[in-house]
Amino acid sequence: MEDYGRFLALLASSLLVGFVSVILSLVWVFHYREGLSWDGSAAEFNWHPVLIITGFVFIQGIAIIVYRLPWTWKCSKLLMKFIHAGLNTIAMILAIVSMVAVFDFHNAKNIPNMYSLHSWIGLTAVIFYSLQLFLGFAVFLLPFAPVRLRVALMPIHVYSGLTIFATVIATALMGITEKLIFALTNPAYSESPPEATLVNCLGLLLVIFGSLILWMASRPHWKRPAAENAKILRPIGATPEGTEVESTMTNSSNADKSDLRSNTEAARKQNIKHDEAGLRSTM
Ligand code: HEM
Ligand code: HEM
């Protein structure tokens, strides 16, 4: 894999930033707010940010880049599809529970539903996310869809997946701002109390997390190789025993090795060409 070290650095940073975001959301609700419970009180509302940040932001982000982890390229595509679909399903479930929490809280406190821009964009993102999940299962996981349909849908799947993810981050930022404006009265948000500083930092981390994931997911040379190229594009050191590549690498002369390298380069270029034409591996 090209720039393996850079990929690892970005991956480690995104995991760290995502993990710290989840911790900060917990510190926010436990240290500064009413904690978590399910009784129609403000503590029930608090499930909303915690589950959104854990599921809809962090887990969805990991689900998006899971195909790009070079050590998974030796795993079957079907297994990776199960992992990608499974993580996205967990994210969806947590997002739904978080929505139930906020609607339940609003109904218990007689607060009107669906009045804000945050709630409009948020609900739209959840609806498109469920559609994406349903189509992903129906077209890419179940064996019934014809190859032509898979090939036609893949660029749309990738584009809409990344757009929904970016929209989710934007919605979370709107929600955070609203909550701080509503909840901080004495001292007010404008007086920058410690809670406001902590939660502003949380918002910044969400933007950084989103940018790292979108960067990793949009580099063509870090894409999972198409099935026919997978053998020669394995990351160095990740070659499973008994494969063609390993036996060439261990038994060959230097000339053979440079041959292999130029083959790898050719395959990589071919792979990028396929990607540009929307012909990524969909099986
Ligand atoms: C309300 C969705 C993230 C704070 C709502 C409502 C929806 C929603 C649909 C309306 C509930 C109702 O009308 O009864 C989402 C989605 C998010 C998200 C999809 C994920 C990106 C957040 C975050 C916060 C937050 C991270 C931070 C605290 C709020 C607040 C309300 C609310 C304060 C009540 C005021 C309002 O209806 O706008 N959210 N939310 N949201 N959300 Fe979020
Ligand atoms: C690729 C998003 C559900 C199958 C992708 C990519 C994104 C994405 C952003 C591009 C990844 C990359 O370029 O490395 C989503 C979202 C989903 C979802 C947000 C849920 C709402 C599913 C489901 C399946 C699926 C249920 C069924 C197995 C695939 C496949 C790829 C893919 C086969 C191509 C991987 C490759 O490049 O080889 N998805 N996806 N997706 N997704 Fe999904």
Side-chain angles (χ1 to χ4, degrees):
M1 183 200 219
E2 216 177 83
D3 296 337
Y4 186 52
R6 191 176 306 169
F7 179 83
L8 281 187
L10 287 174
L11 180 67
S13 318
S14 55
L15 288 176
L16 181 72
V17 170
F19 186 70
V20 173
S21 307
V22 173
I23 300 293
L24 284 193
S25 72
L26 288 169
V27 172
W28 181 21
V29 302
F30 280 108
H31 186 66
Y32 291 103
R33 295 280 125 212
E34 308 74 9
L36 295 170
S37 71
W38 200 274
D39 53 7
S41 71
E44 180 169 339
F45 168 84
N46 291 342
W47 282 109
H48 183 60
V50 168
L51 293 182
I52 287 285
I53 289 166
T54 310
F56 223 22
V57 177
F58 187 49
I59 298 179
Q60 182 186 179
I62 304 300
I64 285 177
I65 49 133
V66 87
Y67 287 114
R68 300 210 163 218
L69 306 175
W71 51 89
T72 67
W73 293 350
K74 60 184 183 297
C75 302
S76 77
K77 185 75 181 264
L78 186 65
L79 173 67
M80 295 318 296
K81 284 187 190 180
F82 273 116
I83 295 174
H84 176 73
L87 288 171
N88 275 310
T89 307
I90 295 172
M92 178 79 215
I93 293 169
L94 295 185
I96 289 176
V97 176
S98 96
M99 304 281 283
V100 174
V102 69
F103 276 99
D104 208 42
F105 164 72
H106 273 194
N107 294 340
K109 292 269 179 287
N110 284 322
I111 301 171
N113 290 317
M114 297 304 298
Y115 65 88
S116 64
L117 178 60
H118 164 76
S119 59
W120 285 25
I121 307 251
L123 191 64
T124 310
V126 172
I127 291 169
F128 275 94
Y129 191 78
S130 6
L131 200 66
Q132 171 95 346
L133 195 63
F134 172 76
L135 284 177
F137 272 113
V139 176
F140 301 121
L141 197 58
L142 299 181
F144 310 116
V147 172
R148 268 187 22 224
L149 176 63
R150 290 167 185 246
V151 169
L153 203 69
M154 183 45 75
I156 300 171
H157 179 85
V158 174
Y159 174 78
S160 56
L162 298 178
T163 308
I164 293 168
F165 178 66
T167 308
V168 163
I169 304 254
T171 310
L173 299 180
M174 282 193 252
I176 285 173
T177 310
E178 267 190 7
K179 178 68 183 176
L180 288 174
I181 291 172
F182 295 156
L184 291 173
T185 43
N186 192 20
Y189 191 14
S190 56
E191 291 169 58
S192 293
E195 178 179 351
T197 311
L198 176 108
V199 181
N200 282 356
C201 289
L202 169 61
L204 268 176
L205 289 184
L206 295 182
V207 173
I208 295 170
F209 178 74
S211 317
L212 289 170
I213 296 292
L214 291 176
W215 178 263
M216 283 189 278
S218 56
R219 295 313 88 200
H221 55 280
W222 286 342
K223 199 163 67 63
R224 181 185 164 95
E228 66 273 20
N229 294 335
K231 275 194 210 138
I232 47 173
L233 281 176
R234 244 171 231 124
I236 295 159
T239 324
E241 308 81 48
T243 61
E244 252 178 67
V245 186
E246 197 198 38
S247 55
T248 324
M249 288 295 275
T250 45
N251 303 331
S252 62
S253 66
N254 283 346
D256 287 344
K257 282 181 192 164
S258 76
D259 241 26
L260 178 74
R261 231 170 263 134
S262 59
N263 276 348
T264 308
E265 186 55 19
R268 194 181 66 77
K269 286 194 177 131
Q270 174 80 356
N271 199 28
I272 292 172
K273 239 195 248 156
H274 276 192
D275 183 43
E276 280 160 2
L279 291 174
R280 55 172 66 213
S281 165
T282 54
M283 296 299 285

